[in-house]
Amino acid sequence: MRHLQFLTASDCLIAFQLKDLEGIDTWKDIIVVLNGNRDTKTVDIPEGEYRVACCNGVISEAGIGMPVSGGKTTIDGQSALILYRQ
């Protein structure tokens, strides 16, 4: 449980962070957000600059699009968002 932290979320929205993974994984921090709602939701993510590994059904370990900064971010309805920091 040392590496797992649940983030504040709302109904049908789950968000958690796997943190301080140095020596365990090539990614230092990972944030996973799952939105079971039909509409877009906003979630707060910890400060930092993250690459997008999964968004709208597209997955790429190299990153998708522009980096995302911490703070508020949106996630489409019935989708997953995976962010990481190296």
Side-chain angles (χ1 to χ4, degrees), residues 43 45-52 66-73 83:
V43 64
I45 59 172
E47 291 301 317
E49 189 167 297
Y50 301 88
R51 292 179 184 227
V52 179
M66 299 294 293
V68 173
S69 294
K72 294 196 181 294
T73 191
L83 308 173

Side-chain angles (χ1 to χ4, degrees), residues 11-72:
D11 290 340
C12 297
L13 184 72
I14 297 170
F16 62 90
Q17 178 182 19
L18 299 172
K19 59 184 184 172
D20 303 323
L21 300 175
E22 293 174 20
I24 299 172
D25 195 281
T26 57
W27 295 349
K28 180 179 174 186
D29 297 303
I30 302 169
I31 295 177
V32 177
V33 184
L34 305 170
N35 184 3
N37 295 284
R38 292 182 186 252
D39 53 336
T40 300
K41 294 293 180 181
T42 301
V43 64
D44 287 317
I45 59 172
E47 291 301 317
E49 189 167 297
Y50 301 88
R51 292 179 184 227
V52 179
C54 173
C55 183
N56 295 327
V58 177
I59 299 171
S60 173
E61 287 186 33
I64 302 167
M66 299 294 293
V68 173
S69 294
K72 294 196 181 294

